[in-house]
């Protein structure tokens, strides 16, 4: 069993819809939770990060962490075609190493 | 400020050949990493370095070697390439800073390697 599980998609939504992405993890030692966005043929870039349970908002993006269920989510409101990308969750314990989910490919159709 | 750069962008190797991938960063970051990305597998850590002259194994180190002779450069070597090493390779770097952006990693554009 992978330490971090993520549905690969693809997830296809119409422009303006809410995109809902999630990851589950198994290691209780994980403390820091991040979402990276990766456009086709590019390197990942950090989108959001949090280190506590609850919600964190940044513009159209909301990251949600439920440590008791070992479940993290990313919501994208008012989705745009430019949001079409692969979204990877990344989680880490203390230290410098990240554990990535497999990524979910999102397609926002105009 | 170029960030993280990788050389080459594409490469095709025959089984048994060797090659070196170069990663360079101009952000004065202490930590550097090499990942491989395969469909459905996410990013898997090959080797990493926490400073000049130091390296350590990651999740999938077999068949690869690394060197960090200069702080800004991190080299990944394949001594005898195998088809299983066909992948996209990403380099990343980070600065061991304070919360909340602790260990945020900055990625390069990737190297697409095909081993036939």
């Amino acid at each position: 069993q992978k330490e971090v599980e993520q549905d690969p998609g693809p997830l296809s939504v119409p422009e303006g819809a809410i995109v809902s992405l999630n990851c589950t993890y198994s290691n209780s030692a994980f403390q820091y939770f991040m979402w990276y966005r990766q456009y086709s043929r590019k390197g990942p870039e950090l989108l959001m990060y949090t280190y506590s349970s609850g919600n964190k908002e940044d513009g159209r993006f909301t990251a949600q962490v439920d440590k008791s269920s070992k479940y993290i989510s990313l919501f994208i409101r008012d989705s745009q075609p430019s949001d079409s990308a692969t979204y990877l969750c990344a989680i880490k314990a203390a230290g410098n190493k990240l554990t990535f989910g497999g990524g979910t490919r999102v397609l926002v159709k105009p | 400020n170029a960030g993280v750069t990788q050389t080459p962008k594409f490469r095709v190797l025959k089984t048994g050949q060797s090659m070196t991938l170069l990663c360079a960063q101009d952000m004065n970051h202490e930590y550097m990493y090499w990942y491989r990305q395969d469909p459905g597998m996410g990013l898997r850590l090959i080797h990493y370095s926490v400073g000049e002259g130091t390296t350590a194994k990651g999740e999938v180190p077999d068949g690869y070697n690394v060197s960090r002779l200069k702080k800004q450069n991190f080299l990944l070597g394949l001594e005898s390439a195998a088809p299983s090493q066909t992948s996209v390779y990403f380099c990343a770097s980070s600065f061991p800073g304070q919360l909340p952006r602790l260990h945020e990693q900055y990625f390069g554009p990737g190297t697409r390697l095909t081993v036939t």
Side-chain angles (χ1 to χ4, degrees):
Chain A
Q1 183 187 2
K2 293 180 184 177
E3 283 194 289
V4 181
E5 298 275 2
Q6 188 175 4
D7 189 325
L11 184 61
S12 182
V13 300
E15 184 176 354
I18 295 175
V19 176
S20 174
L21 304 166
N22 57 74
C23 286
T24 58
Y25 62 95
S26 56
N27 189 344
S28 298
F30 287 141
Q31 300 178 41
Y32 306 103
F33 308 91
M34 285 150 274
W35 286 95
Y36 278 79
R37 178 175 60 195
Q38 185 177 21
Y39 291 114
S40 181
R41 296 185 176 266
K42 301 286 187 185
E45 56 181 349
L46 183 65
L47 190 60
M48 292 193 72
Y49 58 89
T50 183
Y51 53 93
S52 59
S53 284
N55 292 355
K56 180 178 180 181
E57 277 193 29
D58 185 0
R60 296 184 295 111
F61 299 89
T62 299
Q64 194 174 75
V65 175
D66 182 347
K67 288 187 178 180
S68 62
S69 301
K70 299 190 182 67
Y71 191 89
I72 67 171
S73 301
L74 178 70
F75 301 97
I76 307 173
R77 291 185 299 280
D78 188 24
S79 57
Q80 305 295 310
S82 59
D83 295 325
S84 297
T86 296
Y87 291 81
L88 301 121
C89 61
I91 310 177
K92 77 181 202 71
N96 59 300
K97 288 185 283 183
L98 293 176
T99 300
F100 285 86
T104 300
R105 192 157 66 91
V106 172
L107 178 61
V108 180
K109 296 183 176 179
Chain B
N1 191 339
V4 179
T5 57
Q6 293 183 231
T7 309
K9 289 186 169 52
F10 304 93
R11 186 73 187 267
V12 178
L13 286 179
K14 293 188 188 317
T15 297
Q17 288 185 319
S18 63
M19 78 164 294
T20 300
L21 283 67
L22 171 63
C23 176
Q25 52 94 5
D26 61 2
M27 297 175 283
N28 202 33
H29 284 171
E30 291 292 332
Y31 294 8
M32 297 187 75
Y33 315 80
W34 275 107
Y35 293 91
R36 60 178 290 173
Q37 186 175 37
D38 303 292
M41 300 293 290
L43 288 154
R44 291 183 293 170
L45 184 64
I46 304 171
H47 286 281
Y48 66 100
S49 168
V50 299
E52 183 178 318
T54 70
T55 63
K57 294 180 180 179
E59 181 186 354
V60 288
D62 294 342
Y64 305 95
N65 57 75
V66 288
S67 64
R68 183 100 182 266
L69 298 179
K70 293 183 179 180
K71 184 177 182 179
Q72 63 268 34
N73 295 339
F74 195 28
L75 278 61
L76 178 71
L78 284 73
E79 292 183 345
S80 179
S84 61
Q85 294 178 305
T86 293
S87 188
V88 182
Y89 291 86
F90 288 99
C91 176
S93 69
S94 69
F95 183 76
Q98 302 285 327
L99 285 171
R101 299 186 82 93
L102 190 67
H103 291 298
E104 175 182 352
Q105 294 188 15
Y106 294 80
F107 284 82
T111 295
R112 291 183 174 273
L113 175 66
T114 301
V115 182
T116 61

